[in-house]
Amino acid sequence: MMHKPLFAAALALLPLAAQAQTAALPTDPAADWSVATSEHRIAVEGGKVWVRVNGVIGQGETPVILIHGGPGGTHLGFGTLLSLADQRPVILYDQLDSGMSDHPGDPANWKPARFVAELEAIRKALGVERWHVIGHSWGSALALEYAAAYPEHTASAVLSGTFLSTSHWITGTNLLIRDLPDDVAATIRACEGPTPPAIEVCEPATAAFYDAYNGRPDRPAPTSVMLAYRQRYGGKGFNPELYNTMWGPTEFRASGSLAGYDVSGLLARVDGAKVMFVIGQYDEARIDTVQDFLALTPGAELAVVPGGSHAFIAERPEVAEAIFRDWMNRKDAAAPGH
């Protein structure tokens, strides 16, 4: 959830036709996902967000929007899931102050409610009646908040790499530290203490934590398409100021505005039959924590990606894509009037 990525990466809404910049749909979205069918700049509270669509809204099955983590992350990690566009429109976007979206830099915008309203503004601008919302990490909290606020527009909600509660997350992270080799665990604790050692001592220990739970060493190398897209991305990637303001300077404790954040109570308000939790086998989102969330959501499902960490979408792309595809197909088939 709350991690710095491993690579650096209001006005009335304009008519959709005026916003869109259309390109040819690639014959194989998985082969060249860098090409979008359309790109949009959509007005939201505080500025405009950048949105891309693979597929055509109104054609195919129910659209899906993918909600990135951070706070301050970008859509980039969802590239492998654009293979889903062979069945349904796939919508990616960067949250305000991240990536390709506007960067007004106003902390007044950095509130969960505004990020949820941002999603609804995107839905209205694109003309989507109902969509699947797939959130990862911090994005899973936004997906749950959205599903609770707009059930009539939510075909399903996927809470992947599940973050819903800061206190649960911090507890889980500290339990995972305990499972690391003794010297690494001791170094991380010292680095989080009142008189931390030098950064040269702390960085390798933090890297060991990430290798275990957030980007395992056996993950696939970036493809040529991914590398080309990063170059095209123009360096407008992760926003550390946003991350630090909302979360804090380190992975292992929260000192920002999300320090008391907890939306697990919303699980009782949503239709559990439309909720799926997805985590990696070695995820920072610990399986026992997510099972507690599952117990609060009658009818919900849980999928665990074998061999995956918090970065399972990039590490096990075929498995992740198959889980999401099967889930949405089943929910679509069960929807009234399908």
Side-chain angles (χ1 to χ4, degrees):
M1 185 313 275
M2 304 294 176
H3 68 280
K4 301 181 182 180
L6 301 178
F7 55 83
L11 296 175
L13 297 178
L14 294 173
L16 187 60
Q19 300 174 45
Q21 300 171 347
T22 303
L25 178 65
T27 54
D28 181 358
D32 187 9
W33 61 267
S34 65
V35 180
T37 305
S38 62
E39 296 184 19
H40 313 263
R41 298 199 70 82
I42 293 174
V44 300
E45 180 184 349
K48 291 185 178 181
V49 294
W50 175 86
V51 180
R52 56 169 287 159
V53 182
N54 278 55
V56 178
I57 303 297
Q59 297 182 14
E61 297 290 344
T62 306
V64 57
I65 185 165
L66 304 171
I67 309 167
H68 66 73
T74 75
H75 73 285
L76 190 58
F78 290 132
T80 57
L81 295 179
L82 281 168
S83 53
L84 296 167
D86 64 352
Q87 282 189 294
R88 68 187 70 246
V90 177
I91 304 162
L92 304 181
Y93 78 109
D94 288 331
Q95 294 157 23
L96 191 70
D97 277 301
S98 296
M100 303 286 282
S101 293
D102 287 357
H103 287 239
D106 183 356
N109 293 321
W110 302 345
K111 299 176 181 178
R114 197 215 58 81
F115 286 107
V116 174
E118 182 176 271
L119 279 165
E120 179 63 359
I122 293 170
R123 184 195 66 78
K124 289 179 178 178
L126 294 180
V128 174
E129 179 56 33
R130 293 173 70 252
W131 56 6
H132 299 279
V133 292
I134 296 180
H136 186 74
S137 200
W138 150 250
S140 65
L142 296 180
L144 176 59
E145 287 210 47
Y146 182 89
Y150 301 100
E152 70 277 18
H153 299 304
T154 304
S156 77
V158 177
L159 314 180
S160 90
T162 315
F163 163 77
L164 301 179
S165 161
T166 298
S167 62
H168 285 81
W169 188 268
I170 295 298
T171 298
T173 299
N174 282 278
L175 288 171
L176 292 174
I177 292 172
R178 190 177 62 181
D179 292 339
L180 294 170
D182 290 345
D183 58 333
V184 174
T187 299
I188 291 176
R189 292 190 186 100
C191 292
E192 292 298 306
T195 55
I199 190 170
E200 293 80 7
V201 175
C202 295
E203 282 186 342
T206 301
F209 179 92
Y210 282 133
D211 284 346
Y213 308 119
N214 198 341
R216 294 177 71 80
D218 66 347
R219 61 190 180 274
T223 65
S224 59
V225 171
M226 175 67 81
L227 293 173
Y229 189 73
R230 288 185 194 173
Q231 184 175 10
R232 175 180 166 190
Y233 199 56
K236 295 181 179 179
F238 172 70
N239 185 335
E241 182 183 2
L242 171 54
Y243 175 89
N244 290 338
T245 299
M246 294 191 71
W247 181 255
T250 80
E251 179 71 5
F252 310 111
R253 53 189 166 88
S255 57
S257 60
L258 292 177
Y261 184 78
D262 188 340
V263 291
S264 58
L266 294 179
L267 294 170
R269 290 177 42 189
V270 296
D271 181 353
K274 295 181 179 179
V275 175
M276 178 170 65
F277 300 87
V278 187
I279 58 171
Q281 180 181 356
Y282 305 107
D283 206 310
E284 277 190 84
R286 297 177 73 250
I287 190 168
D288 56 348
T289 300
V290 177
Q291 285 176 321
D292 288 342
F293 294 151
L294 184 70
L296 296 173
T297 322
E301 296 185 14
L302 169 64
V304 179
V305 177
S309 72
H310 195 57
F312 67 82
I313 293 174
E315 294 166 339
R316 306 290 183 264
E318 296 87 358
V319 177
E321 186 257 343
I323 289 171
F324 294 139
R325 183 185 295 273
D326 173 72
W327 166 260
M328 290 188 291
N329 286 346
R330 287 190 287 117
K331 296 300 110 175
D332 286 347
H338 189 274

